[in-house]
Amino acid sequence: VVSTQSTGSSGINAEYGGATTSIFPYNERMKNYLEATDRAGIAKVAGGYHSLLNSDQGCEYDEVIEINLSELKPLINGPFTPDLCTPISEVGARAEKEGWPTEIKVGLIGSCTNSSYEDMTRSASIARQAQSKGVEFKSLFTITPGSEQIRATIERDGIDKPLRDIGGMVLANACGPCIGQWDRQDVPKGEKNTIVTSYNRNFTGRNDANPNTHGFVASPEIVTALSLAGTLNFNPETDSLLDKDGNPFMLDTPYGDELPSNGFDPGEDTYQPPPADSSAVTVDVDPESNRLELLTPFAKWDGQDYNELQLLIKVKGKCTTDHISAAGPWLKFRGHLNNISNNFLITATNAENGEMNSIKSAITGDFGAVPATAREYKAAGIGWVVVGDENYGEGSSREHAALEPRHLGGKAIIVRSFARIHETNLKKQGMLPLTFADPADYNKVQPGDKISINGLTSFAPGVPLSCTLKHGDGTTDTFALNHTFNDNQIGWFKAGSALNKMAEGK
């Protein structure tokens, strides 16, 4: 399968698998894609090294997973997490049992994920079938091209027309609703409802900032088919739709062209190159702006172990980068670190009280918002620590999820385990991402704890650090913390951030 799958599928498989790095054998379909995107020179060089771009003869793997493709059936994931998987043939019954709304309010395809030319032509093939029967979408339906090249090419080739003709709306080729850039008007905020998307993530409130939106994830063709039916109680493999005269018909298996026969249309060239000499360029930002703010370097490490840092919050359960730095309407502040930091961990669950955005201040004893309490500690010169659960920081590689804790005075994030990209992002901002050597030590952390991190003065790759918890009753617990810092990354920490380290080299 790997030797015959399309280039787009290879990339999406890597992202869905959460891989930091994936290597797929070079094949004829990659060659065709490179040539179709004006990179024939690269294809020629890669072809000359074909033997090096494939697995070694007789190689062995730590784990082998065998999948019988003839047994695969369409699946749908969700709601609220991409981990929850249900066969499309069973999701309607499961939804009714779990109390998930079965009516699909909106179907959405595209964005950076699953928006290749092949994806779009597959969905268009379903739309043509519906159009020939006089059928339109029962759900609202949006199409977000994954790039300017895809937008221009599907428009030139008329791929978007059948989708538009049966009620679809083509949005700008941008992140769009996938990251919450969606001024949704069809349901009131807070209303329980269901949407189905072909995006890669469906965490609570991610798409429309409504915590009661049940987001499901499926392939573009499944999303298109479900949007024609308008309900989760529809299996396109076995169930019929009704044509304009009330006669039943079934959808044929969708077909898509992997590459456009006339090549790709690059669309509008909007790239603005920087000046050859930028030494005289200054960036002027209105000091009154609430959307743009010039960054200032983070402070260097002071050369000492961290002594009695304050526990800010002990997070319970899933904590994605959407929990750490919410998207949606907050994205207008992406250029203003101080303002966007007001969304820090506001939807994470506090283990102390089971509530979101409600933590106890060690200074006043009052409960308040997470960002406000962090600012209170920073103003008082008190460094703080976040303690988290498993796979902390999964989801988007959102840089602000690492910038915000650093900006608000955080020193370390201690968790049972990290999502790898977020772990690296924290390192780049001069934070200490650390893991419990024994995951059970998470349970030793108590509300109001003071946390000391020792061993920093001899910080070295592969050498654990030591953590001491000082509890409110005066008792203590000491245990080991692991880290994955290499020499270069330790340099980032000592300099205060990766950017600081780069500046030192000028």
Side-chain angles (χ1 to χ4, degrees), residues 313 315-316 318-319 322-324 344-351 354-358 370 392:
I313 180 175
V315 176
K316 178 182 178 181
K318 183 184 286 290
C319 189
D322 279 86
H323 293 88
I324 302 168
F344 180 57
L345 285 172
I346 59 176
T347 58
T349 301
N350 182 6
E355 297 182 8
M356 294 187 295
N357 205 28
S358 175
V370 178
Y392 183 91

Side-chain angles (χ1 to χ4, degrees), residues 97-346:
K97 178 181 177 181
E98 301 285 351
W100 305 334
T102 56
E103 180 190 3
I104 299 171
K105 292 291 188 180
V106 191
L108 308 97
I109 65 170
S111 190
C112 69
T113 308
N114 293 324
S115 62
S116 68
Y117 189 82
E118 183 176 12
D119 292 322
M120 293 297 173
T121 53
R122 284 182 181 275
S123 291
S125 74
I126 293 176
R128 290 191 192 94
Q129 295 178 52
Q131 190 176 18
S132 70
K133 301 291 184 178
V135 174
E136 296 188 347
F137 289 118
K138 287 189 177 179
S139 309
L140 296 176
F141 191 82
T142 69
I143 307 102
T144 304
S147 66
E148 171 61 12
Q149 179 170 269
I150 290 296
R151 180 208 63 77
T153 305
I154 64 172
E155 187 174 294
R156 179 200 67 192
D157 294 351
I159 305 302
D160 60 329
K161 189 175 188 305
L163 292 164
R164 292 178 187 267
D165 287 347
I166 63 171
M169 176 188 296
V170 178
L171 305 180
N173 39 290
C175 292
C178 178
I179 198 174
Q181 294 172 322
W182 182 17
D183 184 18
R184 190 176 179 191
Q185 302 290 329
D186 62 293
V187 297
K189 187 68 63 67
E191 181 176 300
K192 194 175 179 180
N193 73 99
T194 284
I195 64 173
V196 181
T197 84
S198 68
Y199 304 154
N200 51 2
R201 299 179 183 97
N202 59 338
F203 301 123
T204 303
R206 176 182 172 95
N207 301 123
D208 62 358
N210 180 357
N212 289 319
T213 292
H214 292 55
F216 292 84
V217 175
S219 67
E221 51 264 48
I222 289 295
V223 173
T224 306
L226 289 175
S227 299
L228 288 170
T231 177
L232 293 176
N233 284 304
F234 177 71
N235 178 3
E237 287 196 310
T238 59
D239 297 340
S240 300
L241 297 169
L242 297 179
D243 68 15
K244 62 181 180 180
D245 298 319
N247 301 310
F249 74 97
M250 291 186 64
L251 295 170
D252 296 330
T253 302
Y255 171 80
D257 295 311
E258 181 183 350
L259 298 170
S261 57
N262 294 322
F264 284 103
D265 183 341
E268 297 182 30
D269 184 3
T270 57
Y271 175 64
Q272 298 182 21
D277 180 7
S278 60
S279 59
V281 175
T282 59
V283 179
D284 294 323
V285 174
D286 183 352
E288 300 300 316
S289 173
N290 66 0
R291 298 186 65 169
L292 291 176
E293 175 189 52
L294 293 177
L295 295 175
T296 55
F298 293 131
K300 293 183 178 182
W301 174 55
D302 64 6
Q304 303 297 314
D305 286 342
Y306 286 149
N307 186 46
E308 294 197 0
L309 302 173
Q310 182 63 51
L311 173 66
L312 178 69
I313 180 175
K314 179 181 178 182
V315 176
K316 178 182 178 181
K318 183 184 286 290
C319 189
T320 71
T321 49
D322 279 86
H323 293 88
I324 302 168
S325 176
W330 288 98
L331 295 178
K332 64 187 175 185
F333 299 125
R334 280 186 300 181
H336 198 295
L337 180 56
N338 192 50
N339 282 347
I340 199 171
S341 293
N342 288 323
N343 70 5
F344 180 57
L345 285 172
I346 59 176

Side-chain angles (χ1 to χ4, degrees), residues 24-88:
F24 290 86
Y26 183 72
N27 57 33
E28 188 71 16
R29 299 182 79 169
M30 292 184 185
K31 172 180 175 291
N32 294 340
Y33 181 80
L34 288 170
E35 291 176 343
T37 52
D38 295 327
R39 288 176 282 186
I42 296 176
K44 184 177 180 180
V45 173
Y49 292 94
H50 184 271
S51 62
L52 299 179
L53 300 175
N54 280 276
S55 55
D56 296 335
Q57 191 69 31
C59 63
E60 296 182 359
Y61 298 92
D62 292 335
E63 184 179 3
V64 176
I65 300 174
E66 294 187 8
I67 300 174
N68 187 339
L69 298 183
S70 65
E71 296 177 354
L72 289 182
K73 294 292 182 181
L75 301 171
I76 186 168
N77 290 8
F80 305 124
T81 175
D83 310 76
L84 187 61
C85 183
T86 307
I88 198 71

Side-chain angles (χ1 to χ4, degrees), residues 307-311 377-378 380-385 409-411 451:
N307 186 46
E308 294 197 0
L309 302 173
Q310 182 63 51
L311 173 66
Y377 292 159
K378 181 180 180 180
I382 300 172
W384 50 261
V385 175
K411 302 296 185 183
I451 301 174

Side-chain angles (χ1 to χ4, degrees), residues 301 304-306 309 384-386 406 410-415 418 423 425-435 453-456 459 465 481-483 485 489-490 493-494:
W301 174 55
Q304 303 297 314
D305 286 342
Y306 286 149
L309 302 173
W384 50 261
V385 175
V386 168
R406 184 74 162 100
K411 302 296 185 183
I413 310 291
I414 304 173
V415 301
F418 276 107
E423 180 185 19
N425 285 346
L426 288 167
K427 293 177 185 178
K428 287 191 292 185
Q429 303 309 332
M431 295 287 292
L432 282 176
L434 306 170
T435 56
I453 300 173
N454 303 308
L456 292 175
F459 200 7
L465 300 174
L481 295 174
N482 292 334
H483 68 85
F485 279 81
Q489 293 168 342
I490 290 174
F493 168 73
K494 292 180 177 180

